[in-house]
């Protein structure tokens, strides 16, 4: 299989989507890859915008103390972009400074800042819950593991998680490592620790 190379503006790196050969990843290695994937999906850089049907983005992580809803009573509404109230892009508009802003300034890496679809709620979810969700085509947009990995390389919002600036803690590992783990987990058959 040929590798797909994706340039990512936010991190300045090229990402490679190179799936392992069929049958080359054991269940144990797949579960190890999943454990790292869960560290990323449950990390504040990702989970804070992967929230449920209340449409309230979160502020959590080392610099926030106790987890709490996004300040200024932000409600992204059913649109998940704030169209019903205050659009996310009112503060999260694109700027050349992007994530290299002060600690208390809104990250501005994309014009299309938004919450993830409600089907992809991660905030406060267990490893088993997120594992079953990510591999479920009814809840992951019908994507296989290669398409999930490719999704990670598209757009500045995902890449921002590894280069958030402003003294914010980045997501663990690297975006390339996360892509590689997604590919290994999928090639192992999407194992979850409860089975």
């Amino acid at each position: 299989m040929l590798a797909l190379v994706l340039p990512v503006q936010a991190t300045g790196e090229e990402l490679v989507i190179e799936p392992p050969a069929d049958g080359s990843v054991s269940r144990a290695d797949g579960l190890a890859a999943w454990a790292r994937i869960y560290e990323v999906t449950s990390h504040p850089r990702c989970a804070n915008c992967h929230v449920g049907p209340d449409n309230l983005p979160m502020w959590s992580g080392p610099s926030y103390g106790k987890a709490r809803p996004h300040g200024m009573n932000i409600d992204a509404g059913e649109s998940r972009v704030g169209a019903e109230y205050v659009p996310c892009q009112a503060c999260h508009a694109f700027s050349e400074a992007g994530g290299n802003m002060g600690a208390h300034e809104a990250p501005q890496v994309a014009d299309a800042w938004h919450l993830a679809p409600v089907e992809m709620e991660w905030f406060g979810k267990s490893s088993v819950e997120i594992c079953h969700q990510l591999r479920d085509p009814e809840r992951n947009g019908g994507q296989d593991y290669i398409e999930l990995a490719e999704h990670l390389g598209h757009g500045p919002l995902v890449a921002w998680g590894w280069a958030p600036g402003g003294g914010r803690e980045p997501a663990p590992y690297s975006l390339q490592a996360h892509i590689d783990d997604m590919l290994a987990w999928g090639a192992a058959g999407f194992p979850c620790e409860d089975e």
Side-chain angles (χ1 to χ4, degrees):
M1 181 174 283
L2 295 175
L4 174 65
V5 178
L6 303 168
V8 176
Q9 285 180 291
T11 61
E13 64 183 311
E14 284 191 345
L15 302 171
V16 178
I17 309 294
E18 191 167 11
D22 287 342
S24 67
V25 181
S26 69
R27 174 178 167 72
D29 288 344
L31 285 170
W34 170 255
R36 292 184 297 272
I37 292 168
Y38 180 66
E39 284 184 66
V40 172
T41 60
S42 62
H43 190 276
R45 289 294 72 77
C46 301
N48 283 348
C49 289
H50 278 262
V51 296
D54 63 3
N55 306 313
L56 301 176
M58 297 298 290
W59 277 353
S60 71
S63 62
Y64 292 102
K66 184 180 177 190
R68 61 189 186 274
H70 189 296
M72 300 158 286
N73 297 314
I74 296 301
D75 183 335
E78 287 185 31
S79 69
R80 309 290 279 181
V81 298
E84 301 85 344
Y85 306 103
V86 175
C88 301
Q89 71 184 40
C91 297
H92 293 282
F94 178 77
S95 165
E96 289 296 325
N100 298 320
M101 306 181 83
H104 300 291
E105 295 179 67
Q108 299 177 333
V109 296
D111 285 330
W113 200 277
H114 60 280
L115 297 182
V118 72
E119 296 82 12
M120 297 305 292
E121 178 182 1
W122 297 342
F123 193 88
K125 297 290 184 181
S126 72
S127 174
V128 168
E129 289 173 307
I130 296 174
C131 185
H132 284 278
Q133 176 199 67
L134 269 179
R135 71 183 192 181
D136 180 358
E138 296 289 320
R139 295 185 284 169
N140 77 10
Q143 299 177 90
D144 64 20
Y145 70 95
I146 296 171
E147 291 166 322
L148 286 170
E150 288 173 354
H151 163 77
L152 296 170
H154 293 290
L157 291 181
V158 173
W160 174 82
W162 282 270
R168 297 172 187 89
E169 182 182 77
Y173 310 107
S174 69
L175 179 51
Q176 182 65 61
H178 187 53
I179 288 169
D180 294 343
D181 281 335
M182 187 66 69
L183 292 168
W185 175 57
F190 289 126
C192 293
E193 54 201 9
D194 66 330
E195 40 188 35

